[in-house]
Amino acid sequence: MEVKIGVQYAPREIVLESAQTAEEVEKAVAEALSGKSELLTLVDDHGRKVLVPAGKLAYVELGEPTARKVGFSAL
């Protein structure tokens, strides 16, 4: 699924493809915003962690789950 994260005072948003479900991402965002965690931590499709300070979150946008791409055409 595609996740877009807006960060305060940053000119660009963070965009990542994650294998996490929408519920898992929502739970992580809720914990960060409620103060249970100081960082929003998400993992992308390549296993890299994305850490964003909870106090700097502007918005989090959850996209539709993406289907696996198959083929040899250039996109």
Side-chain angles (χ1 to χ4, degrees):
M1 101 169 345
E2 182 180 64
V3 180
K4 293 181 183 179
I5 304 168
V7 181
Q8 294 177 6
Y9 310 114
R12 294 176 29 171
E13 61 191 9
I14 300 169
V15 180
L16 65 120
E17 289 289 329
S18 178
Q20 292 175 290
T21 65
E23 292 80 22
E24 291 172 334
V25 174
E26 283 183 54
K27 182 179 177 185
V29 172
E31 287 177 358
L33 293 176
S34 69
K36 290 182 182 178
S37 173
E38 293 185 20
L39 293 173
L40 170 62
T41 304
L42 299 175
V43 180
D44 72 359
D45 282 345
H46 301 287
R48 296 177 291 214
K49 284 188 178 182
V50 177
L51 306 170
V52 181
K56 298 295 181 185
L57 284 175
Y59 64 89
V60 177
E61 181 180 316
L62 304 177
E64 293 293 319
T66 54
R68 180 168 257 190
K69 297 174 185 161
V70 177
F72 299 101
S73 65
L75 296 177

